[in-house]
Every structure is written in structure tokens, then in C-alpha cells.
Amino acid sequence: MRHDEAEPAGLGARDSLRLEAGLCLYGQDIDAGTTPMEAGLTWVIAGKYRDGSAQARFPGAGKILKAPTGRLRRGFLVEGRVPVRAGATILDTGKQAVGRITSGGFGPSVGRPVAMGYVDRKYAETGMELHVDIRGRTHTIRVAELPFIKHRYYRP
């Protein structure tokens, strides 16, 4: 707070900014049953352990590195102004459930509603049109790359 530009911010600000940055919140976007592969968090596993060599032996390596990933965490751009909230069902064009939103809201830096969640692998291609059910009405969303905004972390 020594800087004139700094102001206190609440959890709402934290949540919208972490969503735009594509950062996971434990208990909401990831949990004990989520692998780093499906969550797109392989960067947390050192390269020497990811490469499949003899060094890639650590507790859970077989499940984490070798298991097929049926679902993937992706970002979603919402068409229109309706914010999508956690728990909303993601539907394919035939209105069949293919995933679930884990975080969503208005992205102030992006200037539009954004969300992230998990979809079946075959529906995870960037730009793919999907739908989401919000209070009984269907809204169009598009699969997007995460993060929604480029990271500009300060590193002293």
C-alpha cells in the first residue's frame, strides 16, 4: 500500500482477474481427482519427470503421465453479455452434455463474459462452437485459448 496506484481489492476482483489469467482455484477448477494433464498444468511437473525416462518415477507417475485424458480444461468466450457461472452444463450443437463450467464471470480486462471448465477431448478444439445452459436458456460459447490475457507478472 506504499504505492499511490495500489488500492485494496476484494475477492470478486481476485476471482475475475485469476479467471482472465487462466489460473485455477483449488476446490473449484481443480481438486484431488484432477490430473495435471487434463487441467493443462503440466508445467508444475519438472521436465526431467515428464519425458518418460527412467527418472520419471515418482508417486502417481503412472496415473499422471500415462493415463489417457478424456476431458480437458479450456477457456470459453461467451457470445452476448450473459455471464456464465460455475456448474453450468456445456452442450454440443445437438444439445448433449459434453462438459461443465468450473469458473465464469465478466472479464473486465477482456471486456466480455468469459469462463473456463472441462469438456470431452473431442470438443476442446480452439474456436469450436458449443452451447451452455443458463437458467433453462441456451447460449453460444466458443472454445478459447487460456489465458484470456497475456501474463505480465512482475519479476524483480
Side-chain angles (χ1 to χ4, degrees):
M1 297 306 298
R2 289 178 274 164
H3 300 283
D4 293 335
E5 298 87 19
E7 294 183 26
L11 291 177
R14 181 223 49 193
D15 204 43
S16 64
L17 295 175
R18 73 139 186 105
L19 175 59
E20 287 183 319
L23 301 175
C24 296
L25 182 62
Y26 188 82
Q28 186 163 335
D29 303 301
I30 57 173
D31 58 24
T34 308
T35 70
M37 307 306 234
E38 64 190 357
L41 299 174
T42 55
W43 60 269
V44 301
I45 304 171
K48 67 181 182 180
Y49 297 119
R50 281 193 308 241
D51 65 7
S53 68
Q55 287 186 333
R57 292 193 181 117
F58 56 90
K63 181 174 183 174
I64 292 170
L65 299 175
K66 307 262 189 285
T69 303
R71 66 180 188 148
L72 296 171
R73 182 175 63 97
R74 289 293 184 255
F76 302 97
L77 295 172
V78 183
E79 293 187 8
R81 305 290 293 171
V82 177
V84 178
R85 302 291 181 204
T89 302
I90 301 170
L91 310 167
D92 65 10
T93 54
K95 308 299 187 240
Q96 298 298 310
V98 296
R100 188 177 65 84
I101 298 293
T102 57
S103 290
F106 186 79
S109 301
V110 179
R112 64 187 295 180
V114 293
M116 69 179 164
Y118 290 89
V119 291
D120 293 343
R121 178 179 283 283
K122 69 180 185 176
Y123 298 100
E125 185 178 327
T126 300
M128 181 174 272
E129 179 180 308
L130 296 170
H131 302 279
V132 65
D133 180 35
I134 303 172
R135 294 185 297 275
R137 295 189 66 202
T138 303
H139 298 270
T140 302
I141 60 175
R142 292 208 178 267
V143 179
E145 293 290 324
L146 288 172
F148 294 106
I149 57 170
K150 186 178 189 270
H151 292 178
R152 297 183 308 250
Y153 298 125
Y154 172 74
R155 293 191 175 126

